[in-house]
Amino acid sequence: MNIPFKTALPENSKIEPRALGAYFYDAWSVQAAMADLDPLAQFIRVAKKTPSWIDLMMVLRNRLVHLFGLKNLGVLSDIDPSKSSADYKVGERIGIFTLLENSENEVLLGDEDNHLSVVVSIHKSRNANGTETMVTVSTVVHIKNWMGRLYMLPVAPVHRVIAKRMTGAMGNAL
């Protein structure tokens, strides 16, 4: 079992410059259990098996934020089981996110609403001595108004738990 650890945003990644001026950002790394998978496939693999408590929290979130005019994101596990990572195109929805960019070593997923903008990166690299494949899941949030700031008060601590859990799943052969 590989345990995720808190880390810096990956150097020379596409998400690193997005942290400039961000209200919130974090990054978690783990040794990949399935090193041959591309970053999008890493995400899809764990999102399909999202624990029910996480999807339940998303359902609750969607009901609450609807009262404030924010959009329903759906649930993290809402992944088309018939599609592989190669089938997705920029602009398509994957679970609660939209595919923003996809390359051999990094995928950017995100969402935009009235209150904030969020981008999640799954970045794949070799460790310093080149013996292990590491996966880093990074999140960058830019808030747009007071509602974004208020929204992040309860969301930031919950996000840390979920991000660590999902990163950890990439380190385990589910």
Side-chain angles (χ1 to χ4, degrees), residues 29-94:
S29 288
V30 71
Q31 180 183 342
M34 301 180 80
D36 57 319
L37 294 180
D38 63 71
L40 183 53
Q42 294 281 355
F43 173 77
I44 290 170
R45 181 176 78 88
V46 300
K48 281 181 181 177
K49 297 180 188 277
T50 299
S52 58
W53 67 268
I54 293 175
D55 276 349
L56 221 75
M57 290 187 78
M58 285 302 302
V59 169
L60 178 61
R61 175 248 178 237
N62 291 330
R63 287 186 182 149
L64 289 173
V65 301
H66 175 73
L67 302 172
F68 301 97
L70 302 179
K71 66 182 169 184
N72 181 331
L73 296 174
V75 295
L76 199 55
S77 65
D78 188 16
I79 305 290
D80 184 342
S82 68
K83 289 177 91 166
S84 73
S85 62
D87 295 331
Y88 283 97
K89 305 293 181 238
V90 170
E92 285 189 75
R93 295 290 289 180
I94 305 174

Side-chain angles (χ1 to χ4, degrees), residues 99-157:
L99 178 59
L100 303 175
E101 294 187 44
N102 191 14
S103 68
E104 181 181 341
N105 295 320
E106 185 175 19
V107 63
L108 296 180
L109 304 163
D111 194 64
E112 186 92 19
D113 205 350
N114 300 331
H115 63 309
L116 58 76
S117 172
V118 62
V119 176
V120 175
S121 161
I122 296 86
H123 186 271
K124 182 177 164 181
S125 63
R126 302 294 285 169
N127 67 348
N129 60 15
T131 59
E132 300 169 343
T133 298
M134 303 302 292
V135 177
T136 302
V137 177
S138 308
T139 306
V140 173
V141 177
H142 288 269
I143 60 170
K144 298 179 180 180
N145 52 36
W146 64 269
M147 192 182 305
R149 193 175 306 273
L150 186 62
Y151 177 86
M152 286 303 293
L153 287 173
V155 169

